[in-house]
């Protein structure tokens, strides 16, 4: 009976998050420097889906704003937030520690370094690459950067199937420092136009979201979002320890490699789309663990929904805080996540042993 009540709470939480995401998505499309009524937003979306027909002069301005400007941005906020949060949840399950965040352990910085290198050397690289690779080069580079960073952190911090948390965080600090040095050197050698582009990666923004961005990044982001939750039961087993998981029939090496690759893919695509957005992968899974527990079967779907909702809210605040300018979204998420991280450290300080 108690277990049924717990499952009921989990399902209610997921349904509430889904409903909140739908409602807030519609509100985000309507809210902006030019306000659009919710009824008009719904009419424009319904017309684009072919459900209703609009007269040629009806809601022309609203249709342009909704479909060409705000809808791609909302879609990207949902996908990027979901990918970052589910990647954070999976990495925390893999490392068996709630402090394993894509930003803290250097995954985002590694992806940003490789993406920055592509921005600087794009002209030289494009001379040797076919057209279909050129259009995906930024995403491929960011994925490889995230993959290399994640693999290095895992190798450095793991020994005999066990992860040393202090080593993991220190390795993340070192990788972040090396990536920052690399990006700094690229900025030093960059032109004024390239410096403006690189500033985008360091501060984070969804301002460049257009339909081309959506179509290019969606396959990468959805691969991460859809496949990682399928590993929930295996990650649950690995919470017991790798040896115990092997006794339960889990191919732990395969699971580790798959989680690392998918998390790197999701974070890399997110960085290529929106730059470095910190703390989403840390705040969301840990907050949900306090509410629904550590069962990845519920934690990962809930993380997808809450991550999308949190980034959508952060983006709305970034758009509206200093009109007509726009606040970088990385500043907003860091302002939310950093105090939460400090609270997390203080909450767990009884478990911290002196050196």
């Amino acid at each position: 009976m108690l277990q049924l009540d717990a499952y009921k709470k989990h399902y209610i939480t997921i349904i509430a998050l889904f409903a909140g995401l739908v409602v807030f998505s519609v509100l985000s499309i309507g809210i902006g420097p030019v306000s659009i009524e919710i009824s008009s937003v719904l009419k424009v979306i319904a017309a684009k889906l072919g459900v209703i027909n609009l007269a040629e002069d009806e809601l022309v301005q609203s249709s342009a704003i909704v479909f060409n400007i705000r809808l791609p941005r909302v879609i990207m906020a949902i996908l990027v937030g979901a990918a970052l949060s589910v990647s954070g949840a999976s990495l925390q399950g893999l490392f068996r520690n709630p402090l394993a965040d894509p930003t803290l352990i250097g995954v985002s910085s590694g992806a940003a370094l490789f993406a920055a290198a592509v921005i600087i050397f794009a002209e030289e690289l494009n001379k040797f690459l076919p057209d279909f690779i050129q259009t995906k080069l930024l995403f491929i580079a960011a994925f490889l950067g995230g993959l290399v960073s994640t693999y290095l952190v895992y190798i450095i911090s793991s020994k005999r199937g066990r992860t040393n948390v202090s080593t993991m965080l220190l390795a993340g600090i070192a990788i972040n420092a090396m990536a920052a040095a690399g990006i700094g050197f690229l900025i030093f050698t960059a032109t004024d136009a390239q410096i403006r582009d690189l500033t985008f990666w360091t501060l984070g923004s969804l301002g460049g979201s257009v339909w081309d961005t959506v179509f290019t990044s969606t396959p990468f982001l959805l691969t991460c979002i859809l496949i990682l939750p399928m590993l929930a039961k295996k990650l649950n087993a690995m919470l017991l320890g790798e040896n115990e998981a092997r006794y339960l029939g889990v191919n732990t090496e395969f699971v580790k490699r798959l989680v690392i690759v998918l998390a790197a893919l999701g974070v890399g695509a997110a960085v290529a789309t929106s730059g470095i957005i910190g703390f989403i992968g840390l705040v969301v899974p840990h907050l949900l663990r306090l509410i629904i527990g550590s069962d990845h079967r519920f934690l990962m779907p809930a993380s997808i929904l809450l991550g999308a909702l949190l980034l959508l809210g952060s983006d709305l605040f970034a758009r509206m805080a200093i009109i007509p300018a726009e606040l970088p979204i990385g500043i907003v998420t860091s302002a939310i996540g950093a105090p939460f991280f400090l609270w997390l450290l203080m909450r767990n300080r009884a478990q911290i042993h002196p050196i």
Side-chain angles (χ1 to χ4, degrees):
M1 185 66 180
L2 185 62
Q3 189 178 27
L4 290 176
D5 291 339
Y7 284 163
K8 185 177 179 181
K9 177 184 177 182
H10 298 163
Y11 287 121
I12 290 174
T13 301
I14 291 174
I15 292 171
L17 288 173
F18 178 78
L21 180 60
V22 172
V23 171
F24 203 80
S25 297
V26 177
L27 291 175
S28 296
I29 295 172
I31 297 174
V34 178
S35 297
I36 302 174
E37 295 182 358
I38 300 302
S39 59
S40 299
V41 172
L42 296 176
K43 284 182 180 179
V44 170
I45 295 175
K48 292 297 182 181
L49 294 175
V51 177
I52 62 173
N53 293 319
L54 291 178
E56 291 185 3
D57 59 343
E58 185 180 1
L59 302 174
V60 173
Q61 182 181 5
S62 298
S63 178
I65 294 173
V66 168
F67 193 72
N68 296 326
I69 299 175
R70 294 186 185 166
L71 186 57
R73 185 163 182 156
V74 166
I75 292 173
M76 288 314 306
I78 291 172
L79 291 175
V80 169
L84 291 174
S85 56
V86 76
S87 296
S90 62
L91 289 174
Q92 289 170 13
L94 178 65
F95 286 101
R96 298 194 292 281
N97 188 275
L99 300 181
D101 169 68
T103 303
L104 291 177
I105 63 175
V107 184
S108 297
S109 296
L113 174 60
F114 277 52
V118 168
I119 293 174
I120 298 298
F121 302 112
E123 292 185 7
E124 289 77 9
L125 292 172
N126 288 340
K127 294 177 182 177
F128 306 100
L129 297 173
D131 292 339
F132 73 93
I133 293 293
Q134 293 179 23
T135 58
K136 302 291 190 300
L137 184 59
L138 196 61
F139 293 90
I140 294 171
F143 162 65
L144 291 176
L147 182 63
V148 170
S149 300
T150 309
Y151 184 75
L152 284 176
V153 169
Y154 184 81
I155 292 297
I156 293 170
S157 61
S158 298
K159 184 177 181 181
R160 296 176 181 175
R162 296 184 179 276
T163 302
N164 186 298
V165 178
S166 298
T167 305
M168 177 191 70
L169 295 177
L170 291 173
I173 291 171
I175 288 175
N176 281 327
M178 289 189 294
I183 293 174
F185 177 77
L186 292 173
I187 291 175
F188 178 76
T189 60
T191 64
D192 289 342
Q194 290 171 337
I195 288 174
R196 286 194 295 271
D197 290 337
L198 289 174
T199 302
F200 163 79
W201 303 108
T202 58
L203 296 179
S205 174
L206 290 168
S209 299
V210 294
W211 284 114
D212 284 344
T213 309
V214 173
F215 294 141
T216 302
S217 60
T218 294
F220 298 94
L221 293 168
L222 278 182
T223 300
C224 166
I225 294 168
L226 296 178
I227 297 180
L228 278 176
M230 298 180 184
L231 304 175
K233 291 183 178 180
K234 294 179 173 59
L235 288 173
N236 282 344
M238 292 184 69
L239 290 177
L240 302 172
E242 290 193 25
N243 291 332
E244 289 78 1
R246 291 191 193 98
Y247 293 144
L248 294 174
V250 177
N251 186 340
T252 56
E253 291 302 318
F254 173 77
V255 172
K256 287 188 291 187
R257 293 191 185 98
L258 189 57
V259 168
I260 288 173
V261 169
L262 290 173
L265 179 63
V267 174
V271 169
T273 302
S274 58
I276 299 178
I277 297 178
F279 290 105
I280 294 292
L282 170 68
V283 171
V284 170
H286 192 81
L287 182 60
L288 287 170
R289 281 190 179 90
L290 300 177
I291 299 172
I292 63 175
S294 299
D295 189 339
H296 287 87
R297 293 175 298 171
F298 301 99
L299 178 64
M300 297 182 83
S303 293
I304 289 171
L305 296 172
L306 183 57
L309 188 57
L310 181 58
L311 192 58
L312 199 58
S314 299
D315 182 56
L316 179 60
F317 180 83
R319 287 193 282 122
M320 300 299 294
I322 51 174
I323 293 176
E326 181 176 313
L327 193 66
I329 195 172
I331 295 176
V332 179
T333 58
S334 294
I336 297 171
F340 181 86
F341 183 60
L342 291 174
W343 171 82
L344 176 60
L345 290 177
M346 294 180 66
R347 183 173 180 267
N348 295 333
R349 61 184 174 181
Q351 302 174 12
I352 299 176
H353 302 288
I355 296 176

